[in-house]
């Protein structure tokens, strides 16, 4: 059985060059990234790595070539803003999960009536 030495290394925090890339993004681009991340979430738990990877592969983000950790940083921001719920240590994308808040699901159901 092989083990990956990097498995025990956290994905976050960002290195200086990664933080510089994120800092250079416009507010509208950040909002687009956040919106896409939320779109790729569900009310059931999903691995952060899955949501980040799916978001990275959609246009226009595929052409931006931002590192995955930049998206993971936005996931943390969305959790801090209570737009997402999390389980596990968000510094490890492969070992943490996120979902849309459960109260928004009930709000959606009641507004659909």
């Amino acid at each position: 059985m092989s083990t990956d030495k990097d498995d025990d290394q956290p994905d976050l925090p960002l290195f200086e060059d990664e933080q510089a890339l994120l800092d250079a993004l416009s507010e509208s681009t950040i909002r687009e990234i956040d919106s896409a991340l939320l779109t790729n979430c569900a009310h059931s738990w999903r691995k952060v790595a899955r949501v980040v990877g799916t978001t990275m592969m959609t246009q226009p983000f595929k052409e931006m070539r931002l590192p995955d950790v930049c998206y993971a940083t936005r996931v943390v921001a969305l959790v801090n803003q209570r737009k997402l719920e999390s389980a596990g240590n968000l510094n490890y994308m492969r070992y943490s999960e996120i979902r849309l808040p459960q109260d928004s699901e009930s709000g959606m159901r009641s507004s659909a009536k």
Side-chain angles (χ1 to χ4, degrees):
M1 180 172 162
S2 66
T3 60
D4 187 352
K5 288 183 179 182
D6 292 333
D7 252 8
D8 61 348
Q9 298 298 314
D11 301 305
L12 297 174
L14 298 176
F15 291 113
E16 282 185 41
D17 58 332
E18 295 165 335
Q19 185 64 54
L21 286 171
L22 196 57
D23 291 344
L25 297 176
S26 68
E27 285 186 35
S28 65
T29 301
I30 294 290
R31 281 192 300 273
E32 287 178 50
I33 290 171
D34 289 357
S35 177
L37 287 165
L38 291 169
T39 297
N40 288 314
C41 287
H43 289 286
S44 57
W45 293 106
R46 290 189 177 168
K47 294 284 187 192
V48 173
R50 174 185 176 187
V51 173
V52 165
T54 302
T55 302
M56 289 176 65
M57 297 309 295
T58 60
Q59 295 296 345
F61 311 112
K62 190 173 183 177
E63 294 173 7
M64 286 183 182
R65 298 187 181 269
L66 288 173
D68 57 356
V69 291
C70 290
Y71 294 90
T73 298
R74 294 308 309 156
V75 166
V76 172
L78 292 168
V79 168
N80 289 337
Q81 295 167 18
R82 295 194 167 129
K83 293 182 179 180
L84 291 173
E85 295 177 347
S86 67
N89 185 339
L90 291 175
N91 290 327
Y92 297 83
M93 283 186 277
R94 291 177 56 201
Y95 302 109
S96 55
E97 298 180 327
I98 51 176
R99 68 179 179 189
L100 296 171
Q102 295 303 294
D103 59 357
S104 67
E105 181 179 5
S106 61
M108 287 173 53
R109 285 187 183 148
S110 64
S111 66
K113 291 181 180 178

